Amino acid sequence: MAFPPEAVRIAGFTLRQVTSSIRTQSPYSFAQTAYDFMGGTWAAELTLAAFDARESAAISAWLAGLNGPAGRFELDMEAMDYDGPQGMITADPVVAVAASARAKTLVLQLAAATDTISVGDYLTLDGHLHIVTAAEAPTAAFRQTLTLWPRLRAPVAAGDPVALRAPYGTWALAGSETALAVSQARVRSRTVQLVEAL
């Protein structure tokens, strides 16, 4: 896996959260019941723009090399205008306490007493993108307990690295087709659908 080539310029990025929860309603009483199947994944729409034919060719070659949804690549969160953690982070944290797959609570070991992670921050653990939905205050031992979405994909061990200052996601094309659009003004663009690569 690698980040896209330099010629790939992102003109637009739409990030979607997809959950495996539903709400049903009785047709008789209108009583509602919510079901949470504990699944969650990311989906995205990426609009790529090329300024000249050489860049367009490089983008075409990269997309072809992905071989539809078979290929995987990484995309940093700067693509969606994410400026990094809201709190003070002097160094990326590590996992402080092991957690099992599907857990939504994670304890991180921060590097300094001034470090803190905030609700809405993104982080990457084992190549998977997560967003912080709840954050307790850091302890005197520089540990902070977080609630994440989506749940952990795999077990994590104490000491596992966490990318917080430059989070990224691992992606694949959602389908087997890509298309190039060229306007009369010779503006070249592509819009591709992405899914989180698990």
Side-chain angles (χ1 to χ4, degrees), residues 51-157:
F51 295 111
D52 59 35
R54 180 176 294 146
E55 288 180 347
S56 184
I59 293 170
S60 293
W62 173 66
L63 289 171
L66 290 174
N67 195 26
R72 296 164 38 131
F73 64 95
E74 295 169 351
L75 189 62
D76 62 36
M77 291 307 292
E78 288 179 356
M80 63 170 269
D81 200 29
Y82 177 68
D83 289 334
Q86 300 171 57
M88 170 73 164
I89 298 295
T90 57
D92 280 335
V94 296
V95 174
V97 178
S100 61
R102 301 182 67 77
K104 65 179 183 178
T105 303
L106 185 65
V107 180
L108 297 183
Q109 180 66 55
L110 304 174
T114 57
D115 286 5
T116 186
I117 301 168
S118 301
V119 169
D121 284 345
Y122 290 91
L123 59 88
T124 303
L125 188 57
D126 194 30
H128 299 294
L129 183 66
H130 299 274
I131 188 169
V132 177
T133 60
E136 294 180 8
T139 67
F142 313 156
R143 289 187 172 192
Q144 188 170 13
T145 301
L146 309 173
T147 303
L148 304 177
W149 187 94
R151 292 171 181 265
L152 295 178
R153 304 292 188 198
V156 295

